[in-house]
Structure formats: structure tokens, C-alpha cells
Amino acid sequence: MLPRDLKVQEPGGNTNVIYKLMNLFKKIADWYFSKNAMPYWAVLIFDCSVVLLSNLFVYLLIAQKLPANNTIWALLGTLIIYLIPYVVGFRIMQTYRGVLRFSSFTDLYRVAIANLIGIVIIEVGRHVLQADKLFVPIGWQVLLFSWFVATVIMFAARIFVKYVYDSLHEGKATRRVFIYGTRAGGMALSKSIRMDNPSRFVLFGFVSDSEDMPGHMLQGVNVYRNDEHLVEHMKQKRATALLVSPLKTERFMANEAMTERLLEAGIKVYTTNLAQQWDGKSDINTSHLHEVEIEDLLPREEIQVDLQAVERLLRGRRILITGSAGSIGSEMVRQIAQWEPSQLILIDSAETPQHDIRLMMARNYAGIKAQTIVTSIANREHMESIFAQFRPEYVFHAAAYKHVPMMEDNPSEAVQNNILGTRVLADLSVKYGIRKFVMISTDKAVNPTNVMGCSKRICEIYVQSLDKAIKEGKIQGETQFVTTRFGNVLGSNGSVIPLFREQIRNGGPVTVTHPDIIRFFMLIPEACKLVLEAGTMGNGGEIFVFDMGKPVKIADLAKRMIQLSGAKDVEIKFTGLRDGEKLYEEVLNNEEITKPTFNKKIKIAQVREYDYAEVCQWIDDLVRISREYDNMETVRKMKEIVPEYKSQHSVYQQLDKQE
């Protein structure tokens, strides 16, 4: 191998000439490879020269002498005339259009067929035109042997150029890789690697699930079986990454044993975003490849949502979104904006993230009227002026204080923001004739063990009782109130994944509260799609529960993230459960049952119904108590409203013992 930064020292003596020649060769190679490709005409001239010299060599080797009355010039003239059929073959097979440094067995096939076309035309012409009377007679044995010699030389030259290029350009920025997939997707990836300049990857093997492919060669490299020996083969070839064909993405993600072996060996995995869209024929640019993240490896089923039905309801409407600068709220903004609502009213109390949303709307959705407002949802006067001025038709309520430890220390703020803020929005929605009010809740509202979860359960109780009161005619209005309930979303603000990434970057330790703690996870876009479908399809009064898939052990999540990062010696430290935290989250109350809906991933929780007037009195009392900022009394009242609220790892556990 010739390293890119080769500097040959001149030791003097007899070897001085050799080292000078090596340096000269490297300079010539660097000059050649600095060009995009050799011109077509240069490749064509080279191939013609090979054919001419091969025919001359073979003729003289077999005949050993020229026929009587013929000279070497007559023979050369004949061979030059015979080049014309070869050029026809080169033209048909486009052999001169290939870039020599990216040659493969496909190029061998083209060269061989092109040369074969040439000798077939020559043989046909000789018999039809009786060319032997005009030119030096050349037997078919000479033509056949010269075909073999010319083909071997032309292909050897291409392989040599490829080898020198790979040797000079395999530096730190280039990865040796295997490709998972031997059909159309794998071939497209192989082609993109060969055509990439400068090259990010060098191909050293294919991986196949089939029984018949392993042991064969493709594109000049071996095909290996996808089994427990794969990592061993990759290490033998010093391959440090696996590229996954778009046709193999789903199978790879489902193969936990394979991913585990690769991660433990420190092998990087690259996939594409084309798994669903690729037509099986078009090229795949290496820019489509991205390194696998932990979000890609978490077990979950694909979620199907009827977004066309949602679009029909929201297109051209005035829509208000609270918490618009948060993880869920901002994704809701992006998804709804693509359906061209007539106006978006975006509310959040965080100034800087809200400013980012304003810039995003101006940049990506300049044609949509968007009001970005900084305020608290608990500010009744300001919220009323917003409803009165903009008259929204749909409300998506994502604003909330959601961090469990923070709300354990600040229960009065949880009441005044989460509960009072929700009540303000719900009441104004009825007053101003909102068509539908969609509230985003949490799985922590089920059998709550912390202040945050209990505050969201009280929000659920209020909007459900209000919807029930409207349907019973006790409250004049037409608003339908829908609640959506789901677990953690991947990558949300304050979630474990951004925290773990930061800790790994800093060299650890990665802090996990308990070895056995588990959580449900969902991607932010998936969660928002389900919110949109459930919210717009609901008839009011429902609590929609999302199927979050399989739970994930947080310790395993941390381990995989460390493996993906390639970091060494990063330890996992168990810190103990935080205030109000439980080992696992429930999606349904123990006494609740569910009903199926229009989407298999969405179910309706059947829960206890509450009297609206009674709920209003509870909340009035709770808000009044919260304004005294006596944490214990505030939480005591919350436990009265939600009897199933039992604190865990919290100072408020003493209130449960007093019952």
C-alpha cells in the first residue's frame, strides 16, 4: 500500500535510483488522480493500442514468420483496418466511458463483450468480402487468442489503476466497509462508493442472508454469511463499518443479535433514509447514508396514520397551538403548517425558543400567517384578548410543566400552570366556539406517583367533565374536548437521550437512576401524527391512549448509546430513583379498560366520569391553596381530588400514611 503522505528518503548508494523512481511514480499518480477522469479519447486510444499490439504479438507468436510476399507494414496495415470492428464493439459497450479508478467486474464483462463483437465482425467480413485476398490472412485461432490476451491486458490495466488509487486514497477519512445486501440495494451502494470522489468508503465485502450467495464474489470482493462469524470476517479485513441496503433496513433493525454483535465490536452502522421511497433502480448517493442513532434501534412498529383525513379538517383553518416552542408543540407546528392553515396562533412562555419558531416559520412557511406570542396560558386576561382577536377554530394544548423532579419541588406552580392554565384555555374555547380542543397528557397521569402526573390527571378530569356538561346541556357550547395520553418521546427537551449524549461526550459517567427502570418511547413525529389523528377524529370526551410498543430498559439504552458512540471506558452509574419517580409507567389505570378505534395504535380509555360543578369547586379550592405556596397543603388537596395518587420517593409520602 502507498500511504497518501509517503515521503521517500534517499539513502544513497545503489538504491538511490529506486527511491527516485518511487517518488516520481507517486508524483505522476497524484497528478493523474487529481483529475476527475481520463478523457474518453485517451481511454479509447489505449484500448485500441492494446488490441493492435495483442494481435501483432499473437500473430507473430503463432505464425513465427510473415506470409510470402508480405511485409511487417502490410501486417500492421491489416491490423489497423481490423481495429474498426473493435471500435464498433467499444462504441456499443461504452467501454471508454468508465472511470478507470472505479473499475469492477462489470467493466470486465463490457471489455470482453466489446472485443468479442470485434472478432465476430472481422470473421463475418472476411468470409463475406473475401478479405484475405486483400489483406494479410489472419486465422481465427489468432483472433481468438488475441481476444483473450487483449481482454486480460485491458482489464489488468484497469485493476492496476484502481489498486493504486485505493492505495493512495485510503487515509484516515476513508472507512473500510462491508455492505449488507447483495441485490439491487447493495449494488447501488457499491456503485455509489466506486463513483464517490473523494471516497468516504472502500468496499471489502458483502453480507448476505441467503444460503447460495456466501462464498461467491461480487464487485471483486467476497460475500459473507450473516452469522456469528461476521464480526470476525470484518476484523480480518480491518473493516470498521457496515452499510445497510435500503432494501435491508427493516430486517437489520429487527435483527437484535446482529446489531448487538456489531455494536459490541465497535463497528459503525450506516443506513439510508430511502427505505420506504427507493424505487430499486435509481442511484443512491453516499450523502443519503447516516450513522445509526439510538432512535433507529429502539423496538417499535411502523405507525400508519390517515393524514389525508386530518389535512381535510385543518387546511384553511385558524389553529392555536400552546407550548409551540416545546418538543411536541414545535413538531405540531411543522406538521400542521404543511397543510396550509389560514392562520397559526403560536403561544409559549419561553422567549428564545419561541423566537426560533418565529424564524422557522418565516424561513420555511412564509406564506402562512403566523402569530408568535410570548405569554403564560394561566394569564386569563391576555389569553382572552388572543381568543377574541384571532378567533381560532382548533386548539392543540401542549403547554405544561413536565419535569417530574422540578414539579415535586414546586407543586404550586404545577397547579397554576398545568391545571389553571388548562382550565383558562378550556373555558375560553367554549366561550369563543372552538370546534375542537385537543389536550396532550401523559402516561404519568395513570396511577400518579408524582405532582406532575397528578396535575395532568386533574387536567384530564376537568376537560372531560366540561365535555360531559356540554353534551348534557348544563353548559352552553359546541366545543369537543379530546385528550391524548402517551409516554416519553425520543429526543424531547429534558429526556434521557440528550442527557446521555452529553454525558458520553464528557467522558461519563452516564447516570441511570435504577438498574431495572423501564420506559415506553416514541419518536416525536410519530407521537404528533397520532395526536393529530386522534384529536381530529375524536367526538369529544375521549381519552385516547397510544400503543407505545415494547418498554425499554434505561440501563440497556445507556449501554447501547455508549457502544454507538465508540467511546471507551465510559461507566454507567446508578444514582437511585428521583423524587416521585417509579420504575415503570402505566398507560392505563388498573380499573380502566379500552375500546378499539379507527387506528390499531390508538385506543379509548374508559374512565370514571365526574360532575362538572364538583370538579370546578375542587379546582377553585386547589388554586386558592396553591397561592399560599404551602407545598404540603397543596399536595394534600391534589391527593383528595385524585385518590389513586400515591407518592413514591417523595416527602409527600407522609400524606399517604395519614389516610
Side-chain angles (χ1 to χ4, degrees):
M1 304 294 278
L2 293 170
R4 201 172 197 174
D5 57 350
L6 174 66
K7 292 182 180 179
V8 181
Q9 301 295 323
E10 296 185 10
N14 295 331
T15 58
N16 192 27
V17 174
I18 297 175
Y19 280 88
K20 284 186 176 181
L21 288 174
M22 290 177 65
N23 272 324
L24 177 62
F25 172 74
K26 184 177 185 302
K27 288 179 181 178
I28 294 172
D30 285 340
W31 170 82
Y32 168 68
F33 291 124
S34 68
K35 310 299 179 183
N36 288 331
M38 184 182 289
Y40 295 159
W41 58 265
V43 177
L44 182 60
I45 289 176
F46 172 80
D47 289 347
C48 289
S49 300
V50 169
V51 169
L52 180 63
L53 293 175
S54 297
N55 277 281
L56 179 61
F57 168 76
V58 172
Y59 181 90
L60 294 176
L61 182 67
I62 293 177
Q64 296 187 346
K65 63 178 181 177
L66 292 172
N69 303 320
N70 285 311
T71 67
I72 188 68
W73 299 111
L75 176 61
L76 285 174
T78 299
L79 295 178
I80 290 173
I81 295 297
Y82 280 8
L83 273 180
I84 296 174
Y86 282 99
V87 172
V88 172
F90 296 153
R91 173 65 179 172
I92 293 173
M93 300 307 296
Q94 301 284 298
T95 57
Y96 51 85
R97 296 182 66 89
V99 181
L100 298 188
R101 70 193 70 165
F102 302 128
S103 297
S104 66
F105 276 96
T106 302
D107 299 291
L108 171 61
Y109 166 78
R110 289 181 176 178
V111 167
I113 296 300
N115 289 338
L116 187 61
I117 290 173
I119 64 172
V120 168
I121 295 175
I122 290 172
E123 277 296 296
V124 171
R126 286 176 60 208
H127 288 87
V128 172
L129 302 176
Q130 296 184 344
D132 286 349
K133 295 180 179 180
L134 302 174
F135 306 110
V136 175
I138 298 176
W140 65 267
Q141 299 94 333
V142 172
L143 291 175
L144 187 60
F145 191 26
S146 64
W147 167 83
F148 174 77
V149 172
T151 300
V152 169
I153 293 174
M154 291 163 66
F155 188 63
R158 285 162 167 78
I159 292 299
F160 176 74
V161 172
K162 175 180 172 60
Y163 173 79
V164 173
Y165 177 79
D166 290 344
S167 299
L168 291 173
H169 288 76
E170 189 181 338
K172 292 183 179 179
T174 305
R175 283 188 180 275
R176 291 175 168 231
V177 301
F178 278 29
I179 291 178
Y180 180 38
T182 55
R183 302 193 185 280
M187 293 301 100
L189 279 176
S190 172
K191 179 182 177 182
S192 71
I193 290 174
R194 289 186 287 110
M195 300 304 294
D196 208 14
N197 188 21
S199 178
R200 292 173 59 195
F201 307 108
V202 179
L203 180 62
F204 276 84
F206 283 92
V207 181
S208 176
D209 293 311
S210 65
E211 294 294 326
D212 57 332
M213 286 303 296
H216 290 77
M217 294 188 73
L218 282 178
Q219 305 288 325
V221 297
N222 291 323
V223 180
Y224 299 92
R225 193 182 309 280
N226 178 19
D227 58 17
E228 64 274 13
H229 301 296
L230 174 60
V231 169
E232 180 183 340
H233 294 313
M234 294 186 73
K235 287 184 175 180
Q236 288 173 352
K237 294 293 184 179
R238 292 187 288 127
T240 59
L242 179 76
L243 311 187
V244 180
S245 158
L247 302 180
K248 286 285 191 179
T249 301
E250 289 187 17
R251 184 160 187 166
F252 173 80
M253 295 305 178
N255 191 337
E256 293 186 21
M258 183 182 187
T259 57
E260 194 67 31
R261 287 194 296 267
L262 293 170
L263 293 180
E264 287 183 354
I267 293 173
K268 299 290 185 181
V269 178
Y270 291 82
T271 60
T272 74
N273 298 320
L274 307 175
Q276 303 299 324
Q277 302 88 5
W278 192 57
D279 59 9
K281 299 177 182 178
S282 57
D283 292 340
I284 301 175
N285 195 291
T286 53
S287 62
H288 294 143
L289 292 166
H290 70 277
E291 194 172 328
V292 163
E293 298 282 357
I294 190 63
E295 292 88 343
D296 301 316
L297 299 179
L298 291 176
R300 64 181 186 276
E301 296 179 11
E302 183 182 358
I303 292 177
Q304 301 290 341
V305 176
D306 185 6
L307 291 178
Q308 290 184 341
V310 179
E311 178 182 358
R312 287 193 294 269
L313 287 174
L314 299 184
R315 180 177 289 275
R317 303 295 186 184
R318 298 182 301 277
I319 299 168
L320 185 147
I321 301 173
T322 71
S324 58
S327 305
I328 293 293
S330 61
E331 180 63 23
M332 299 275 291
V333 171
R334 282 184 281 270
Q335 292 196 18
I336 293 174
Q338 65 184 335
W339 297 323
E340 299 180 354
S342 64
Q343 189 172 25
L344 287 175
I345 305 98
L346 310 178
I347 296 173
D348 204 289
S349 61
E351 177 202 12
T352 300
Q354 185 76 327
H355 181 255
D356 293 338
I357 292 297
R358 169 179 284 188
L359 295 178
M360 184 274 291
M361 289 299 299
R363 180 175 62 251
N364 299 336
Y365 305 100
I368 297 176
K369 292 172 61 178
Q371 305 295 326
T372 47
I373 302 168
V374 177
T375 188
S376 167
I377 57 172
N379 186 334
R380 185 181 297 272
E381 291 76 17
H382 195 183
M383 293 307 303
E384 172 130 29
S385 70
I386 292 170
F387 273 76
Q389 179 180 356
F390 299 110
R391 299 282 175 167
E393 297 170 88
Y394 288 83
V395 171
F396 290 90
H397 175 34
Y401 287 152
K402 62 181 182 180
H403 295 292
V404 170
M406 291 294 292
M407 292 305 98
E408 287 296 292
D409 295 337
N410 300 276
S412 296
E413 294 301 325
V415 169
Q416 293 170 30
N417 185 80
N418 293 1
I419 300 174
L420 179 59
T422 297
R423 184 178 183 181
V424 167
L425 289 167
D427 292 347
L428 290 174
S429 294
V430 175
K431 180 177 180 179
Y432 287 92
I434 302 300
R435 297 187 181 194
K436 191 161 290 185
F437 180 102
V438 182
M439 187 184 79
I440 296 173
S441 187
T442 171
D443 55 359
K444 293 177 176 63
V446 184
N447 291 329
T449 61
N450 51 66
V451 168
M452 194 282 285
C454 183
S455 71
K456 295 298 287 184
R457 177 63 190 132
I458 295 173
C459 293
E460 293 179 356
I461 291 172
Y462 183 76
V463 298
Q464 272 198 299
S465 65
L466 179 54
D467 188 271
K468 179 172 176 284
I470 292 173
K471 287 182 169 60
E472 292 175 347
K474 297 177 181 179
I475 299 291
Q476 293 298 314
E478 57 184 26
T479 307
Q480 295 176 337
F481 289 88
V482 173
T483 298
T484 60
R485 186 192 281 174
F486 55 92
N488 303 276
V489 286
L490 292 169
S492 65
N493 298 330
S495 71
V496 295
I497 289 180
L499 173 63
F500 287 174
R501 283 199 178 108
E502 181 66 23
Q503 291 175 335
I504 292 169
R505 270 196 301 268
N506 294 333
V510 174
T511 55
V512 179
T513 57
H514 193 282
D516 298 322
I517 192 168
I518 62 173
R519 289 292 181 265
F520 293 95
F521 286 99
M522 181 176 286
L523 290 176
I524 293 175
E526 292 176 347
C528 289
K529 287 175 183 177
L530 289 174
V531 168
L532 289 168
E533 183 174 36
T536 52
M537 298 298 131
N539 296 315
E542 305 100 334
I543 293 181
F544 287 105
V545 180
F546 298 166
D547 179 358
M548 299 291 292
K550 298 179 181 178
V552 176
K553 205 170 185 179
I554 301 301
D556 292 342
L557 178 72
K559 178 183 175 183
R560 282 205 164 189
M561 289 188 66
I562 293 170
Q563 292 172 334
L564 280 172
S565 72
K568 306 294 184 183
D569 301 323
V570 174
E571 70 167 315
I572 297 175
K573 182 179 179 181
F574 297 104
T575 58
L577 292 173
R578 300 174 298 177
D579 291 350
E581 192 172 43
K582 52 186 175 180
L583 286 178
Y584 61 94
E585 303 291 359
E586 302 158 275
V587 180
L588 291 176
N589 185 290
N590 292 338
E591 299 177 358
E592 294 171 348
I593 59 175
T594 61
K595 297 185 295 184
T597 68
F598 37 82
N599 189 320
K600 69 176 183 178
K601 302 289 287 185
I602 304 174
K603 291 182 171 55
I604 298 175
Q606 294 182 292
V607 298
R608 173 187 169 189
E609 294 183 341
Y610 293 81
D611 178 71
Y612 176 68
E614 186 178 18
V615 172
C616 287
Q617 186 60 55
W618 290 344
I619 293 178
D620 287 341
D621 294 342
L622 178 59
V623 172
R624 176 181 52 77
I625 294 171
S626 74
R627 296 196 190 283
E628 298 173 4
Y629 297 96
D630 184 328
N631 291 348
M632 203 61 70
E633 289 305 310
T634 299
V635 174
R636 187 192 307 276
K637 184 61 181 178
M638 295 176 75
K639 288 177 179 290
E640 289 180 12
I641 299 172
V642 184
E644 65 269 25
Y645 168 27
K646 304 296 180 183
S647 299
Q648 288 186 13
H649 309 284
S650 172
V651 296
Y652 307 122
Q653 285 178 278
Q654 58 184 289
L655 296 174
D656 300 324
K657 297 175 183 178
Q658 295 172 7
E659 295 179 3

